[in-house]
mmCIF file of all heavy atoms in Angstrom:
data_model
loop_
_atom_site.group_PDB
_atom_site.id
_atom_site.type_symbol
_atom_site.label_atom_id
_atom_site.label_comp_id
_atom_site.label_asym_id
_atom_site.label_seq_id
_atom_site.Cartn_x
_atom_site.Cartn_y
_atom_site.Cartn_z
ATOM 1 N N ASP A 158 14.796 55.809 131.463
ATOM 2 C CA ASP A 158 16.243 56.193 131.810
ATOM 3 C C ASP A 158 16.615 55.529 132.956
ATOM 4 O O ASP A 158 16.185 55.683 134.097
ATOM 5 C CB ASP A 158 16.297 57.632 131.996
ATOM 6 C CG ASP A 158 17.697 58.237 131.932
ATOM 7 O OD1 ASP A 158 18.675 57.429 131.694
ATOM 8 O OD2 ASP A 158 18.016 59.410 132.118
ATOM 9 N N GLU A 159 17.606 54.473 132.835
ATOM 10 C CA GLU A 159 18.108 53.729 133.971
ATOM 11 C C GLU A 159 16.873 53.173 134.900
ATOM 12 O O GLU A 159 16.897 53.488 136.040
ATOM 13 C CB GLU A 159 19.151 54.483 134.780
ATOM 14 C CG GLU A 159 20.314 54.927 133.941
ATOM 15 C CD GLU A 159 21.502 55.239 134.700
ATOM 16 O OE1 GLU A 159 21.609 55.015 135.948
ATOM 17 O OE2 GLU A 159 22.586 55.675 134.078
ATOM 18 N N PRO A 160 16.053 52.396 134.320
ATOM 19 C CA PRO A 160 14.851 51.931 135.120
ATOM 20 C C PRO A 160 15.106 51.231 136.333
ATOM 21 O O PRO A 160 14.308 51.042 137.172
ATOM 22 C CB PRO A 160 14.030 51.279 134.020
ATOM 23 C CG PRO A 160 15.030 50.755 133.045
ATOM 24 C CD PRO A 160 15.999 51.821 133.016
ATOM 25 N N THR A 161 16.318 50.495 136.355
ATOM 26 C CA THR A 161 16.562 49.587 137.574
ATOM 27 C C THR A 161 17.644 50.039 138.484
ATOM 28 O O THR A 161 17.951 49.279 139.297
ATOM 29 C CB THR A 161 16.873 48.209 136.967
ATOM 30 O OG1 THR A 161 18.238 48.180 136.156
ATOM 31 C CG2 THR A 161 15.768 47.560 136.065
ATOM 32 N N THR A 162 18.164 51.223 138.174
ATOM 33 C CA THR A 162 19.192 51.669 139.045
ATOM 34 C C THR A 162 18.754 51.875 140.416
ATOM 35 O O THR A 162 17.541 52.472 140.645
ATOM 36 C CB THR A 162 19.743 53.047 138.584
ATOM 37 O OG1 THR A 162 20.408 52.834 137.328
ATOM 38 C CG2 THR A 162 20.852 53.601 139.374
ATOM 39 N N GLY A 163 19.359 51.304 141.514
ATOM 40 C CA GLY A 163 18.847 51.491 142.750
ATOM 41 C C GLY A 163 17.699 50.508 143.237
ATOM 42 O O GLY A 163 17.279 50.580 144.319
ATOM 43 N N LEU A 164 17.424 49.598 142.370
ATOM 44 C CA LEU A 164 16.356 48.629 142.740
ATOM 45 C C LEU A 164 16.963 47.292 143.273
ATOM 46 O O LEU A 164 18.144 46.945 142.802
ATOM 47 C CB LEU A 164 15.458 48.239 141.608
ATOM 48 C CG LEU A 164 14.514 49.278 141.053
ATOM 49 C CD1 LEU A 164 13.619 48.815 140.079
ATOM 50 C CD2 LEU A 164 13.768 49.898 142.136
ATOM 51 N N ASP A 165 16.290 46.539 144.055
ATOM 52 C CA ASP A 165 16.840 45.329 144.612
ATOM 53 C C ASP A 165 16.620 44.231 143.468
ATOM 54 O O ASP A 165 15.741 44.539 142.495
ATOM 55 C CB ASP A 165 16.233 44.843 145.941
ATOM 56 C CG ASP A 165 14.722 44.726 145.873
ATOM 57 O OD1 ASP A 165 14.163 44.221 144.830
ATOM 58 O OD2 ASP A 165 14.008 45.116 146.795
ATOM 59 N N PRO A 166 17.358 43.186 143.434
ATOM 60 C CA PRO A 166 17.185 42.110 142.309
ATOM 61 C C PRO A 166 15.741 41.817 141.988
ATOM 62 O O PRO A 166 15.508 41.591 140.828
ATOM 63 C CB PRO A 166 18.005 40.880 142.875
ATOM 64 C CG PRO A 166 18.853 41.454 143.914
ATOM 65 C CD PRO A 166 18.192 42.652 144.459
ATOM 66 N N GLU A 167 14.884 41.532 143.075
ATOM 67 C CA GLU A 167 13.517 41.102 142.840
ATOM 68 C C GLU A 167 12.857 42.186 141.901
ATOM 69 O O GLU A 167 12.198 41.928 140.868
ATOM 70 C CB GLU A 167 12.903 41.098 144.060
ATOM 71 C CG GLU A 167 11.956 39.938 144.271
ATOM 72 C CD GLU A 167 11.229 40.112 145.578
ATOM 73 O OE1 GLU A 167 12.003 40.365 146.631
ATOM 74 O OE2 GLU A 167 10.024 39.747 145.718
ATOM 75 N N ALA A 168 12.860 43.435 142.389
ATOM 76 C CA ALA A 168 12.293 44.548 141.706
ATOM 77 C C ALA A 168 12.851 44.728 140.354
ATOM 78 O O ALA A 168 12.089 45.097 139.449
ATOM 79 C CB ALA A 168 12.472 45.720 142.532
ATOM 80 N N ARG A 169 14.038 44.428 140.207
ATOM 81 C CA ARG A 169 14.747 44.566 138.889
ATOM 82 C C ARG A 169 14.246 43.518 137.928
ATOM 83 O O ARG A 169 13.819 43.903 136.736
ATOM 84 C CB ARG A 169 16.200 44.272 139.131
ATOM 85 C CG ARG A 169 17.033 44.725 138.058
ATOM 86 C CD ARG A 169 18.467 44.916 138.698
ATOM 87 N NE ARG A 169 19.388 44.980 137.627
ATOM 88 C CZ ARG A 169 20.450 44.162 137.519
ATOM 89 N NH1 ARG A 169 20.751 43.426 138.458
ATOM 90 N NH2 ARG A 169 21.245 44.309 136.485
ATOM 91 N N ILE A 170 13.991 42.330 138.373
ATOM 92 C CA ILE A 170 13.438 41.345 137.448
ATOM 93 C C ILE A 170 11.887 41.722 137.040
ATOM 94 O O ILE A 170 11.487 41.487 135.921
ATOM 95 C CB ILE A 170 13.460 39.964 138.113
ATOM 96 C CG1 ILE A 170 14.941 39.503 138.063
ATOM 97 C CG2 ILE A 170 12.621 38.906 137.424
ATOM 98 C CD1 ILE A 170 15.287 38.311 138.922
ATOM 99 N N GLU A 171 11.250 42.237 137.975
ATOM 100 C CA GLU A 171 9.912 42.716 137.767
ATOM 101 C C GLU A 171 9.904 43.697 136.548
ATOM 102 O O GLU A 171 8.959 43.683 135.706
ATOM 103 C CB GLU A 171 9.282 43.394 138.907
ATOM 104 C CG GLU A 171 8.428 42.578 139.813
ATOM 105 C CD GLU A 171 7.953 43.348 141.082
ATOM 106 O OE1 GLU A 171 7.836 44.581 141.037
ATOM 107 O OE2 GLU A 171 7.911 42.650 142.159
ATOM 108 N N VAL A 172 10.708 44.714 136.660
ATOM 109 C CA VAL A 172 10.942 45.743 135.654
ATOM 110 C C VAL A 172 11.235 45.136 134.380
ATOM 111 O O VAL A 172 10.668 45.480 133.263
ATOM 112 C CB VAL A 172 12.016 46.806 136.080
ATOM 113 C CG1 VAL A 172 12.114 47.818 134.826
ATOM 114 C CG2 VAL A 172 11.356 47.545 137.265
ATOM 115 N N TRP A 173 12.110 44.204 134.298
ATOM 116 C CA TRP A 173 12.448 43.570 133.020
ATOM 117 C C TRP A 173 11.246 42.803 132.447
ATOM 118 O O TRP A 173 10.950 43.019 131.282
ATOM 119 C CB TRP A 173 13.605 42.432 133.321
ATOM 120 C CG TRP A 173 14.819 42.903 133.591
ATOM 121 C CD1 TRP A 173 15.207 44.449 133.594
ATOM 122 C CD2 TRP A 173 16.071 42.308 133.906
ATOM 123 N NE1 TRP A 173 16.528 44.515 133.955
ATOM 124 C CE2 TRP A 173 17.151 43.312 134.140
ATOM 125 C CE3 TRP A 173 16.311 40.966 134.085
ATOM 126 C CZ2 TRP A 173 18.511 42.877 134.469
ATOM 127 C CZ3 TRP A 173 17.732 40.590 134.471
ATOM 128 C CH2 TRP A 173 18.703 41.691 134.605
ATOM 129 N N LYS A 174 10.484 42.198 133.348
ATOM 130 C CA LYS A 174 9.269 41.475 132.852
ATOM 131 C C LYS A 174 8.345 42.469 132.142
ATOM 132 O O LYS A 174 7.891 42.208 131.081
ATOM 133 C CB LYS A 174 8.689 40.802 134.007
ATOM 134 C CG LYS A 174 7.807 39.625 133.582
ATOM 135 C CD LYS A 174 7.153 38.945 134.863
ATOM 136 C CE LYS A 174 5.763 39.142 134.944
ATOM 137 N NZ LYS A 174 5.140 38.941 136.340
ATOM 138 N N MET A 175 8.191 43.660 132.786
ATOM 139 C CA MET A 175 7.346 44.657 132.300
ATOM 140 C C MET A 175 7.753 45.238 130.934
ATOM 141 O O MET A 175 6.965 45.470 130.011
ATOM 142 C CB MET A 175 7.264 45.890 133.272
ATOM 143 C CG MET A 175 6.071 45.775 134.192
ATOM 144 S SD MET A 175 5.935 47.146 135.314
ATOM 145 C CE MET A 175 7.608 47.390 135.904
ATOM 146 N N VAL A 176 9.057 45.393 130.829
ATOM 147 C CA VAL A 176 9.643 45.897 129.499
ATOM 148 C C VAL A 176 9.457 44.895 128.427
ATOM 149 O O VAL A 176 8.920 45.325 127.374
ATOM 150 C CB VAL A 176 11.115 46.104 129.700
ATOM 151 C CG1 VAL A 176 11.744 46.607 128.379
ATOM 152 C CG2 VAL A 176 11.286 47.331 130.739
ATOM 153 N N LYS A 177 9.554 43.647 128.762
ATOM 154 C CA LYS A 177 9.343 42.665 127.747
ATOM 155 C C LYS A 177 7.966 42.559 127.259
ATOM 156 O O LYS A 177 7.630 42.474 126.127
ATOM 157 C CB LYS A 177 9.679 41.347 128.324
ATOM 158 C CG LYS A 177 11.217 41.015 128.299
ATOM 159 C CD LYS A 177 11.562 39.737 128.943
ATOM 160 C CE LYS A 177 13.001 39.480 129.161
ATOM 161 N NZ LYS A 177 13.491 38.526 130.103
ATOM 162 N N GLU A 178 6.974 42.717 128.300
ATOM 163 C CA GLU A 178 5.498 42.784 127.976
ATOM 164 C C GLU A 178 5.228 44.011 127.060
ATOM 165 O O GLU A 178 4.361 43.827 126.060
ATOM 166 C CB GLU A 178 4.645 42.889 129.173
ATOM 167 C CG GLU A 178 4.429 41.581 129.941
ATOM 168 C CD GLU A 178 3.859 41.692 131.250
ATOM 169 O OE1 GLU A 178 3.175 42.835 131.504
ATOM 170 O OE2 GLU A 178 3.933 40.886 132.156
ATOM 171 N N LEU A 179 5.819 44.968 127.412
ATOM 172 C CA LEU A 179 5.526 46.286 126.611
ATOM 173 C C LEU A 179 5.878 46.047 125.129
ATOM 174 O O LEU A 179 5.104 46.292 124.254
ATOM 175 C CB LEU A 179 6.333 47.377 127.139
ATOM 176 C CG LEU A 179 5.870 48.177 128.217
ATOM 177 C CD1 LEU A 179 6.915 49.292 128.552
ATOM 178 C CD2 LEU A 179 4.652 48.882 127.724
ATOM 179 N N ALA A 180 7.139 45.511 124.959
ATOM 180 C CA ALA A 180 7.613 45.271 123.598
ATOM 181 C C ALA A 180 6.814 44.143 122.902
ATOM 182 O O ALA A 180 6.430 44.348 121.734
ATOM 183 C CB ALA A 180 9.105 44.747 123.648
ATOM 184 N N ALA A 181 6.330 43.169 123.608
ATOM 185 C CA ALA A 181 5.553 42.202 122.975
ATOM 186 C C ALA A 181 4.280 42.842 122.514
ATOM 187 O O ALA A 181 3.689 42.392 121.508
ATOM 188 C CB ALA A 181 5.181 41.058 124.069
#
Side-chain angles (χ1 to χ4, degrees):
Chain A
D158 194 6
E159 302 202 5
T161 62
T162 300
L164 292 189
D165 60 40
E167 220 186 319
R169 200 156 160 231
I170 287 168
E171 262 176 35
V172 170
W173 288 356
K174 206 176 112 200
M175 266 182 307
V176 173
K177 284 177 186 161
E178 277 173 21
L179 275 179

